[in-house]
Amino acid sequence: MRVGIIGVGMTAFQPSTPAYNWKELMFEAASRAYADAGLNPRTDVDSFITCAEDYYEGFGIFDEFVPDQLGAALRPTCTVSGDGLQGLASAFMQIQTGIVNVVAVEAHSKVSDIVSLEGIVEQGLDPIWNRPLGAHPYMFAGLEADAYLRRTHTPGKALAAVVAKNRRNGLLNPLAAYGASVDEAQAAKSAERFAPLRMLDISEPADGAVVLVVASEAAARKLHANPVWIRGIGWASDSPTFETRQFGDAWYAEQAARMAYRLAKVRRPAAEFDVAEVDDRFSYKELQHLEALGLAKPGEAGRRVLKGDFALDGKAPVNPSGGSLGCGNVFEATGLHRASEVALQLRGEAGRHQVDGARVGVAQSWRFVPSASGAVAVLGVGK
């Protein structure tokens, strides 16, 4: 049974949203998604999924406070404690059971409400081996970036090229919070933070919410004129500790892609996708993920970004939305944002950052420091 995306709803992404609470952000995104799908959530949606981590929310059993603003009161609702793309995988599986036909998936960030973000991320570090070091948790991203650059012989200026590309793309996206006319020299001279990472290599936090409505093939064809089909989806996790994983590799993305490609019958990923949206919350992650997804050969992504291959008008556009560097780090909503941007591209509704003729795309997520967990979705339109 095929599963299609029939509704896309997003708020604008902003560094801070003092005029809204997190429930209002969810309500706005959900209202947009339901209007896009042309349905009433009280009668037409069979199941609701929210993707959240109680640590980020600031209180326990977060899903108890979700139903009202999603139109899900007294309806089947559950939480995926993971990235939004992992929530999309759960929706895909729910529909495959045949028990439900239409599912709404929600993820959001209200990071501006968090007064101790560094401390919350630090809680994810190993309490015996890592946390006692007292280092900022992004230090581990710096170490991994260094390992990646050394192993692949990628020039450091490739990181600046990723920053410049995605920040400029963000200028074309009306929802982006951090679009800017930044060139490679400016990126390379920004303040050093966690060597080799500089200030502009690190995505800035943002508030925002994303909702996707997905449906079985029969329901999708009935409710929407142009559904975006989830041709394949996969997810994977590497070792939870830094000391027991291959530092510098995105094994989780490679395994998740293998699962998604098998379902979607993708055999030559570098030649089969028209657009890609991948996690770039640190600049090196975009390059690492492109190689894990098979969109570039090992050690090749850095040189290709320097040649302009991944630009909006390049051979293989990557993060035309601006990615997280251009739009902002929306934490658990990041993967669902990547999938939403691909869906809009395939519907020809991406506006000024539209990739001409896009018919098949790939979205990829990573669950941020210190995890090694992620998901991949292959999306397409037509047959």
Side-chain angles (χ1 to χ4, degrees), residues 126-159:
D126 184 281
I128 304 298
W129 299 106
N130 302 144
R131 209 181 304 162
L133 296 174
H136 192 292
Y138 289 6
M139 177 199 74
F140 294 96
L143 290 174
E144 188 184 49
D146 184 68
Y148 168 77
L149 294 177
R150 289 175 184 271
R151 182 179 59 76
T152 60
H153 305 289
T154 297
K157 60 184 179 182
L159 304 186

CSV table of all heavy atoms in Angstrom, one decimal, residues 126-159:
chain,number,residue,atom,x,y,z
A,126,ASP,N,27.4,10.9,28.2
A,126,ASP,CA,27.6,9.8,29.1
A,126,ASP,C,28.0,10.4,30.5
A,126,ASP,O,29.0,11.2,30.6
A,126,ASP,CB,28.7,8.9,28.6
A,126,ASP,CG,29.0,7.7,29.5
A,126,ASP,OD1,29.6,7.8,30.5
A,126,ASP,OD2,28.5,6.6,29.1
A,127,PRO,N,27.3,10.0,31.6
A,127,PRO,CA,27.6,10.6,32.9
A,127,PRO,C,28.9,10.2,33.5
A,127,PRO,O,29.3,10.8,34.5
A,127,PRO,CB,26.4,10.1,33.7
A,127,PRO,CG,25.9,8.8,33.1
A,127,PRO,CD,26.2,9.0,31.6
A,128,ILE,N,29.5,9.1,33.1
A,128,ILE,CA,30.7,8.6,33.7
A,128,ILE,C,32.0,9.1,32.9
A,128,ILE,O,32.9,9.6,33.5
A,128,ILE,CB,30.8,7.1,33.7
A,128,ILE,CG1,29.5,6.5,34.4
A,128,ILE,CG2,32.1,6.6,34.3
A,128,ILE,CD1,29.5,6.9,35.9
A,129,TRP,N,31.9,9.0,31.6
A,129,TRP,CA,33.1,9.3,30.7
A,129,TRP,C,33.1,10.7,30.2
A,129,TRP,O,34.2,11.2,29.9
A,129,TRP,CB,33.2,8.2,29.6
A,129,TRP,CG,33.3,6.9,30.1
A,129,TRP,CD1,32.3,5.9,30.1
A,129,TRP,CD2,34.4,6.3,30.7
A,129,TRP,NE1,32.8,4.7,30.6
A,129,TRP,CE2,34.1,4.9,31.0
A,129,TRP,CE3,35.7,6.7,31.1
A,129,TRP,CZ2,35.0,4.1,31.7
A,129,TRP,CZ3,36.6,5.9,31.7
A,129,TRP,CH2,36.2,4.5,32.0
A,130,ASN,N,32.0,11.3,29.8
A,130,ASN,CA,32.0,12.5,29.1
A,130,ASN,C,31.6,13.7,29.9
A,130,ASN,O,32.3,14.8,29.9
A,130,ASN,CB,31.0,12.4,27.9
A,130,ASN,CG,31.4,11.3,26.9
A,130,ASN,OD1,30.5,10.7,26.4
A,130,ASN,ND2,32.7,11.0,26.7
A,131,ARG,N,30.5,13.6,30.7
A,131,ARG,CA,30.0,14.8,31.4
A,131,ARG,C,31.0,15.4,32.4
A,131,ARG,O,31.1,16.6,32.5
A,131,ARG,CB,28.7,14.5,32.0
A,131,ARG,CG,27.7,15.7,32.2
A,131,ARG,CD,26.4,15.3,32.9
A,131,ARG,NE,25.8,14.2,32.2
A,131,ARG,CZ,24.8,13.5,32.7
A,131,ARG,NH1,24.4,13.7,34.0
A,131,ARG,NH2,24.2,12.5,32.0
A,132,PRO,N,31.7,14.5,33.1
A,132,PRO,CA,32.7,15.1,34.1
A,132,PRO,C,33.8,15.9,33.5
A,132,PRO,O,34.5,16.7,34.2
A,132,PRO,CB,33.3,13.8,34.7
A,132,PRO,CG,32.2,12.8,34.6
A,132,PRO,CD,31.6,13.0,33.2
A,133,LEU,N,34.0,15.8,32.1
A,133,LEU,CA,35.0,16.7,31.5
A,133,LEU,C,34.7,18.1,31.6
A,133,LEU,O,35.5,19.0,31.5
A,133,LEU,CB,35.2,16.3,30.0
A,133,LEU,CG,35.7,14.8,29.7
A,133,LEU,CD1,35.6,14.5,28.3
A,133,LEU,CD2,37.1,14.6,30.3
A,134,GLY,N,33.4,18.4,31.7
A,134,GLY,CA,32.9,19.8,31.9
A,134,GLY,C,33.0,20.6,30.7
A,134,GLY,O,32.9,21.9,30.7
A,135,ALA,N,33.1,20.0,29.5
A,135,ALA,CA,33.3,20.7,28.2
A,135,ALA,C,31.9,21.0,27.7
A,135,ALA,O,30.9,20.3,28.0
A,135,ALA,CB,34.1,19.9,27.2
A,136,HIS,N,31.8,22.0,26.9
A,136,HIS,CA,30.6,22.3,26.1
A,136,HIS,C,30.2,21.1,25.2
A,136,HIS,O,31.1,20.6,24.6
A,136,HIS,CB,30.8,23.6,25.3
A,136,HIS,CG,29.5,24.2,24.7
A,136,HIS,ND1,28.7,23.5,23.8
A,136,HIS,CD2,28.8,25.3,25.0
A,136,HIS,CE1,27.7,24.2,23.5
A,136,HIS,NE2,27.7,25.3,24.2
A,137,PRO,N,29.0,20.7,25.2
A,137,PRO,CA,28.6,19.5,24.4
A,137,PRO,C,29.0,19.7,22.9
A,137,PRO,O,29.2,18.7,22.2
A,137,PRO,CB,27.1,19.3,24.6
A,137,PRO,CG,26.6,20.6,25.2
A,137,PRO,CD,27.8,21.2,25.9
A,138,TYR,N,29.0,20.9,22.4
A,138,TYR,CA,29.4,21.1,21.0
A,138,TYR,C,30.9,20.8,20.7
A,138,TYR,O,31.3,20.7,19.6
A,138,TYR,CB,29.1,22.5,20.5
A,138,TYR,CG,27.6,22.9,20.4
A,138,TYR,CD1,26.6,22.0,20.8
A,138,TYR,CD2,27.2,24.1,19.9
A,138,TYR,CE1,25.3,22.3,20.6
A,138,TYR,CE2,25.9,24.4,19.7
A,138,TYR,CZ,24.9,23.5,20.1
A,138,TYR,OH,23.6,23.8,20.0
A,139,MET,N,31.7,20.6,21.8
A,139,MET,CA,33.0,20.3,21.6
A,139,MET,C,33.1,18.9,20.9
A,139,MET,O,34.1,18.7,20.1
A,139,MET,CB,33.7,20.1,23.0
A,139,MET,CG,35.2,19.7,22.9
A,139,MET,SD,35.8,19.0,24.5
A,139,MET,CE,35.0,17.4,24.5
A,140,PHE,N,32.2,18.0,21.1
A,140,PHE,CA,32.2,16.7,20.5
A,140,PHE,C,32.0,16.9,19.0
A,140,PHE,O,32.5,16.1,18.2
A,140,PHE,CB,31.2,15.8,21.1
A,140,PHE,CG,31.6,15.5,22.6
A,140,PHE,CD1,31.1,16.1,23.6
A,140,PHE,CD2,32.6,14.5,22.8
A,140,PHE,CE1,31.4,15.9,24.9
A,140,PHE,CE2,33.0,14.2,24.1
A,140,PHE,CZ,32.4,14.9,25.2
A,141,ALA,N,31.1,17.9,18.6
A,141,ALA,CA,30.9,18.1,17.2
A,141,ALA,C,32.2,18.6,16.5
A,141,ALA,O,32.5,18.2,15.4
A,141,ALA,CB,29.8,19.1,17.0
A,142,GLY,N,32.9,19.5,17.3
A,142,GLY,CA,34.2,19.9,16.7
A,142,GLY,C,35.2,18.8,16.5
A,142,GLY,O,35.9,18.7,15.5
A,143,LEU,N,35.2,17.9,17.5
A,143,LEU,CA,36.2,16.7,17.4
A,143,LEU,C,35.8,15.9,16.2
A,143,LEU,O,36.6,15.4,15.4
A,143,LEU,CB,36.1,15.9,18.7
A,143,LEU,CG,36.8,16.5,19.9
A,143,LEU,CD1,36.5,15.7,21.1
A,143,LEU,CD2,38.3,16.7,19.7
A,144,GLU,N,34.4,15.7,16.0
A,144,GLU,CA,34.0,14.8,14.9
A,144,GLU,C,34.3,15.5,13.6
A,144,GLU,O,34.7,14.9,12.6
A,144,GLU,CB,32.5,14.5,15.0
A,144,GLU,CG,32.1,13.5,13.9
A,144,GLU,CD,30.7,13.1,13.9
A,144,GLU,OE1,29.8,14.1,13.9
A,144,GLU,OE2,30.3,12.0,13.9
A,145,ALA,N,34.1,16.9,13.5
A,145,ALA,CA,34.4,17.6,12.3
A,145,ALA,C,35.8,17.4,11.9
A,145,ALA,O,36.2,17.2,10.7
A,145,ALA,CB,34.0,19.1,12.5
A,146,ASP,N,36.7,17.5,12.9
A,146,ASP,CA,38.1,17.4,12.7
A,146,ASP,C,38.4,16.0,12.1
A,146,ASP,O,39.2,15.8,11.2
A,146,ASP,CB,38.9,17.7,14.0
A,146,ASP,CG,40.4,17.6,13.7
A,146,ASP,OD1,40.9,18.5,13.0
A,146,ASP,OD2,41.0,16.7,14.2
A,147,ALA,N,37.8,15.0,12.8
A,147,ALA,CA,38.0,13.6,12.3
A,147,ALA,C,37.6,13.4,10.9
A,147,ALA,O,38.2,12.7,10.1
A,147,ALA,CB,37.3,12.6,13.3
A,148,TYR,N,36.4,14.0,10.6
A,148,TYR,CA,35.9,13.9,9.2
A,148,TYR,C,36.8,14.5,8.2
A,148,TYR,O,37.1,13.9,7.1
A,148,TYR,CB,34.5,14.5,9.1
A,148,TYR,CG,34.0,14.6,7.7
A,148,TYR,CD1,33.5,13.5,7.0
A,148,TYR,CD2,34.0,15.9,7.1
A,148,TYR,CE1,33.1,13.7,5.7
A,148,TYR,CE2,33.6,16.0,5.7
A,148,TYR,CZ,33.1,14.9,5.1
A,148,TYR,OH,32.7,15.0,3.8
A,149,LEU,N,37.2,15.7,8.5
A,149,LEU,CA,38.1,16.4,7.5
A,149,LEU,C,39.4,15.7,7.3
A,149,LEU,O,39.9,15.6,6.2
A,149,LEU,CB,38.4,17.8,8.0
A,149,LEU,CG,37.2,18.8,8.1
A,149,LEU,CD1,37.6,20.2,8.7
A,149,LEU,CD2,36.5,19.0,6.7
A,150,ARG,N,40.0,15.1,8.4
A,150,ARG,CA,41.2,14.4,8.3
A,150,ARG,C,41.0,13.1,7.5
A,150,ARG,O,41.8,12.8,6.6
A,150,ARG,CB,41.8,14.1,9.7
A,150,ARG,CG,42.3,15.3,10.4
A,150,ARG,CD,42.7,14.9,11.8
A,150,ARG,NE,43.1,16.1,12.6
A,150,ARG,CZ,44.4,16.5,12.6
A,150,ARG,NH1,45.3,15.9,12.0
A,150,ARG,NH2,44.7,17.6,13.4
A,151,ARG,N,40.0,12.4,7.8
A,151,ARG,CA,39.8,11.1,7.2
A,151,ARG,C,39.5,11.2,5.7
A,151,ARG,O,40.0,10.3,4.9
A,151,ARG,CB,38.6,10.3,7.9
A,151,ARG,CG,38.4,8.9,7.3
A,151,ARG,CD,37.3,8.2,8.0
A,151,ARG,NE,36.0,8.9,8.0
A,151,ARG,CZ,35.2,9.0,6.9
A,151,ARG,NH1,35.6,8.3,5.8
A,151,ARG,NH2,34.1,9.6,6.9
A,152,THR,N,38.7,12.2,5.3
A,152,THR,CA,38.3,12.3,3.9
A,152,THR,C,39.2,13.3,3.1
A,152,THR,O,39.0,13.5,1.9
A,152,THR,CB,36.9,12.9,3.8
A,152,THR,OG1,36.8,14.1,4.5
A,152,THR,CG2,35.9,11.9,4.5
A,153,HIS,N,40.2,13.9,3.8
A,153,HIS,CA,41.1,14.9,3.1
A,153,HIS,C,40.3,16.0,2.5
A,153,HIS,O,40.6,16.5,1.5
A,153,HIS,CB,42.0,14.2,2.1
A,153,HIS,CG,42.8,13.0,2.6
A,153,HIS,ND1,43.8,13.2,3.4
A,153,HIS,CD2,42.6,11.7,2.4
A,153,HIS,CE1,44.3,12.0,3.7
A,153,HIS,NE2,43.6,11.1,3.1
A,154,THR,N,39.2,16.4,3.2
A,154,THR,CA,38.4,17.5,2.8
A,154,THR,C,39.0,18.8,3.2
A,154,THR,O,39.3,19.0,4.4
A,154,THR,CB,37.0,17.3,3.4
A,154,THR,OG1,36.4,16.1,2.9
A,154,THR,CG2,36.1,18.5,3.0
A,155,PRO,N,39.2,19.8,2.3
A,155,PRO,CA,39.7,21.1,2.7
A,155,PRO,C,38.8,21.8,3.6
A,155,PRO,O,37.6,21.8,3.4
A,155,PRO,CB,39.9,21.8,1.4
A,155,PRO,CG,39.0,21.1,0.4
A,155,PRO,CD,38.9,19.7,0.9
A,156,GLY,N,39.3,22.5,4.6
A,156,GLY,CA,38.5,23.2,5.6
A,156,GLY,C,37.6,24.3,4.9
A,156,GLY,O,36.5,24.6,5.4
A,157,LYS,N,38.1,24.8,3.8
A,157,LYS,CA,37.3,25.9,3.1
A,157,LYS,C,35.9,25.3,2.6
A,157,LYS,O,35.0,26.1,2.2
A,157,LYS,CB,38.1,26.5,2.0
A,157,LYS,CG,38.5,25.5,0.9
A,157,LYS,CD,39.4,26.3,-0.1
A,157,LYS,CE,39.9,25.3,-1.2
A,157,LYS,NZ,40.8,26.0,-2.2
A,158,ALA,N,35.8,24.0,2.5
A,158,ALA,CA,34.6,23.4,2.1
A,158,ALA,C,33.4,23.7,3.1
A,158,ALA,O,32.3,23.8,2.7
A,158,ALA,CB,34.7,21.9,1.9
A,159,LEU,N,33.8,23.8,4.4
A,159,LEU,CA,32.8,24.1,5.4
A,159,LEU,C,32.3,25.5,5.2
A,159,LEU,O,31.1,25.7,5.3
A,159,LEU,CB,33.4,24.0,6.8
A,159,LEU,CG,34.0,22.6,7.1
A,159,LEU,CD1,34.5,22.6,8.6
A,159,LEU,CD2,33.1,21.4,6.9
